[in-house]
Amino acid sequence: QFASEGQKKTFITALKLAEYRRLEQKTQIKPLMHIDDLALHLDSSRKERLLALLQNCNQTFITIAEPEKTWDNAHILVIENGKTLSFV
């Protein structure tokens, strides 16, 4: 009600990153990170800043409906109708 969808997505992602850092500090192990629908509701500058922050995470799983570009050091798994079509 008081925030746009992009602002809500940014806030939730910030909480996830804080949780990631806390787990890493507490366990001395880098946990897995998952971001669902990265491109949904984020403008290009927020997406770029988020991707830069995620570079510091050990393993990150990002789900998106349509790939926009290939990110550095990314492995892309394409799944349609429950079947793996390609892995790059």
Side-chain angles (χ1 to χ4, degrees):
Q1 182 179 7
F2 297 105
S4 70
E5 291 301 314
Q7 290 168 327
K8 291 176 192 174
K9 183 78 167 177
T10 301
F11 179 71
I12 290 167
T13 303
L15 288 175
K16 286 181 133 189
L17 284 168
E19 180 180 33
Y20 177 94
R21 300 283 182 245
R22 180 157 162 56
L23 281 169
E24 182 182 20
Q25 289 172 350
K26 192 169 184 123
T27 65
Q28 300 299 306
I29 298 170
K30 290 189 174 209
L32 297 176
M33 171 65 82
H34 174 249
I35 304 290
D36 189 37
D37 283 330
L38 174 70
L40 190 65
H41 305 300
L42 293 181
D43 59 36
S44 60
S45 66
R46 286 182 197 249
K47 276 186 270 190
E48 291 302 319
R49 286 191 303 238
L50 176 58
L51 288 171
L53 287 171
L54 293 175
Q55 291 292 323
N56 297 323
C57 297
N58 191 38
Q59 277 191 14
T60 305
F61 292 91
I62 300 172
T63 57
I64 53 178
E66 294 293 326
E68 296 178 13
K69 67 174 194 171
T70 302
W71 295 292
D72 294 337
N73 302 320
H75 297 282
I76 300 173
L77 182 65
V78 178
I79 301 172
E80 281 186 23
N81 300 318
K83 294 185 179 173
T84 303
L85 300 181
S86 65
F87 179 75
V88 181

